[in-house]
C-alpha cells in the first residue's frame, strides 16, 4: 500500500526533514504516526499525497512510484486517497450533504452515484440525521465526522488523517479514533498522524515514532481493554 525506500527530504533552509527513511504499510493496516513538532510527520504526509517529492529515494503508494507522476496524473492519483485535515476544510455555509457531495462532484461522479454514496457515508459516521444541517451549526466533533465522511466519499483504499483530535475534548477524541478503527475494520487502510500519546496507548496497534526525521520506533503494542469513560 505505502512504501518509502531510502527516502531523504532536504529543505533549502538546510533542514533534513526525513533522513534515509524506509517504511512499509500493508493494505488493511491501521498505523499511528507519532512524534514531536518538527519530527517529520507533516513531511511524511506530503510525500504520501505527492505534494512533495523526496530529495533522494522513492515513494510508492498503491504500487505506483508517485514521484514519477506528472500533470493531471497527480490529481487522478490523489482521488484514490482520502484525507482528513486538522482544520476540517469544510464549506461552512453548505449543508452536511452538500459538503460530502462536493467531493464527489470534483471527481466527476454521476448524480446517481452522489445520491447513493452520500447517505451511505453519512450513516457510516453517524450523521445520517444531520444531512440538511449547515456545517456552521455543528459541534467540533460533528464537523470532524463530516470531514471523515467527505474523505470516504470516493471509497479510497487509503485514508490519511492529520491530527483529527487536536480541536476536540477528550471524550470526542476517543469517539473519533474509535470511528476510524471501525472504518479500518471494514477494510480501509488508515494512517493517523497524532501527537496524543494517551490515545495511542489506549487503542494500541502499530506505532511509528519519528524523531528529527528518523524512525526511532516501529512496533505493535497492546491497548487498553476498558472503554474510555469521561
Amino acid at each position: 500500500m505505502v512504501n518509502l525506500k531510502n527516502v531523504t527530504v532536504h529543505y533549502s533552509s538546510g533542514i533534513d526533514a526525513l533522513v534515509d527513511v524506509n517504511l512499509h504499510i500493508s493494505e488493511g493496516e491501521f498505523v499511528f504516526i507519532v512524534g514531536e513538532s518538527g519530527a517529520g510527520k507533516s513531511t511524511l504526509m506530503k510525500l504520501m499525497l505527492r505534494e512533495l517529492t523526496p530529495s533522494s529515494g522513492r515513494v510508492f503508494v498503491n504500487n505506483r512510484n508517485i514521484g514519477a507522476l506528472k500533470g493531471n496524473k497527480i490529481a487522478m492519483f490523489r482521488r484514490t486517497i482520502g484525507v482528513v485535515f486538522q482544520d476540517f476544510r469544510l464549506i461552512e455555509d453548505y449543508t452536511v450533504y452538500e459538503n460530502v457531495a462536493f467531493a464527489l462532484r470534483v471527481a466527476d461522479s454521476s448524480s446517481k452515484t452522489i445520491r447513493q454514496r452520500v447517505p451511505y457515508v453519512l450513516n457510516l459516521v453517524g450523521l445520517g440525521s444531520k444531512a440538511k444541517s449547515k456545517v456552521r451549526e455543528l459541534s467540533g466533533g460533528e464537523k470532524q465526522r463530516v470531514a471523515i465522511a467527505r474523505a470516504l466519499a470516493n471509497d479510497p483504499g487509503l485514508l490519511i488523517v492529520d491530527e483529527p483530535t487536536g480541536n476536540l475534548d477528550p471524550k470526542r477524541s476517543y469517539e473519533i479514533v474509535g470511528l476510524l478503527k471501525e472504518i479500518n475494520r471494514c477494510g480501509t487502510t488508515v494512517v493517523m498522524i497524532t501527537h496524543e500519546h494517551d490515545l495511542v496507548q489506549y487503542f494500541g496497534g502499530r506505532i511509528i515514532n519519528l524523531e528529527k526525521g528518523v524512525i526511532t520506533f516501529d512496533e505493535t503494542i497492546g491497548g487498553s481493554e476498558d472503554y474510555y469513560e469521561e
Side-chain angles (χ1 to χ4, degrees):
M1 178 63 72
V2 177
N3 275 293
L4 274 68
K5 298 185 176 182
N6 304 111
V7 168
T8 292
V9 175
H10 180 79
Y11 289 122
S12 57
S13 61
I15 295 173
D16 287 324
L18 294 175
V19 182
D20 198 29
V21 169
N22 288 280
L23 173 64
H24 176 76
I25 298 173
S26 298
E27 185 175 353
E29 279 198 276
F30 189 112
V31 178
F32 289 105
I33 306 291
V34 300
E36 301 300 323
S37 178
K41 302 189 303 296
S42 295
T43 297
L44 179 59
M45 178 178 172
K46 289 177 181 179
L47 286 171
M48 289 190 287
L49 293 176
R50 186 44 175 85
E51 293 180 357
L52 186 70
T53 55
S55 305
S56 61
R58 293 179 295 170
V59 179
F60 295 84
V61 178
N62 296 332
N63 297 316
R64 302 177 71 182
N65 180 359
I66 61 173
L69 297 177
K70 304 293 182 183
N72 66 346
K73 290 186 177 180
I74 298 173
M76 295 298 292
F77 159 73
R78 288 177 183 155
R79 291 180 186 178
T80 69
I81 299 175
V83 187
V84 181
F85 297 99
Q86 185 175 3
D87 57 359
F88 306 144
R89 300 191 186 182
L90 300 172
I91 303 172
E92 291 282 318
D93 287 328
Y94 277 22
T95 65
V96 168
Y97 184 101
E98 289 166 341
N99 267 274
V100 178
F102 181 77
L104 288 161
R105 291 193 181 96
V106 169
D108 297 322
S109 297
S110 67
S111 296
K112 181 180 179 181
T113 297
I114 293 171
R115 288 195 302 271
Q116 293 174 341
R117 187 69 184 169
V118 175
Y120 171 78
V121 294
L122 288 180
N123 285 324
L124 185 65
V125 302
L127 287 178
S129 64
K130 295 283 187 176
K132 296 181 180 179
S133 298
K134 294 287 181 69
V135 164
R136 54 180 162 77
E137 300 169 349
L138 304 180
S139 68
E142 288 170 334
K143 288 181 180 180
Q144 189 61 279
R145 287 173 180 265
V146 177
I148 292 170
R150 183 186 57 188
L152 293 172
N154 287 303
D155 195 20
L158 173 63
L159 180 65
I160 300 173
V161 192
D162 183 24
E163 300 282 5
T165 61
N167 300 313
L168 305 180
D169 64 63
K171 185 175 181 179
R172 299 287 89 79
S173 295
Y174 281 76
E175 289 177 354
I176 289 298
V177 181
L179 172 61
L180 293 172
K181 285 283 189 176
E182 287 297 323
I183 290 167
N184 173 248
R185 279 190 277 270
C186 292
T188 303
T189 305
V190 177
V191 176
M192 176 174 158
I193 297 168
T194 184
H195 67 278
E196 297 195 44
H197 291 276
D198 288 346
L199 278 173
V200 173
Q201 292 173 0
Y202 172 79
F203 285 97
R206 185 178 176 193
I207 318 299
I208 297 171
N209 185 74
L210 283 168
E211 187 174 337
K212 296 181 179 179
V214 176
I215 294 177
T216 58
F217 180 88
D218 184 353
E219 300 288 345
T220 299
I221 67 170
S224 170
E225 294 182 359
D226 299 322
Y227 287 101
Y228 174 78
E229 293 183 2
E230 190 175 25

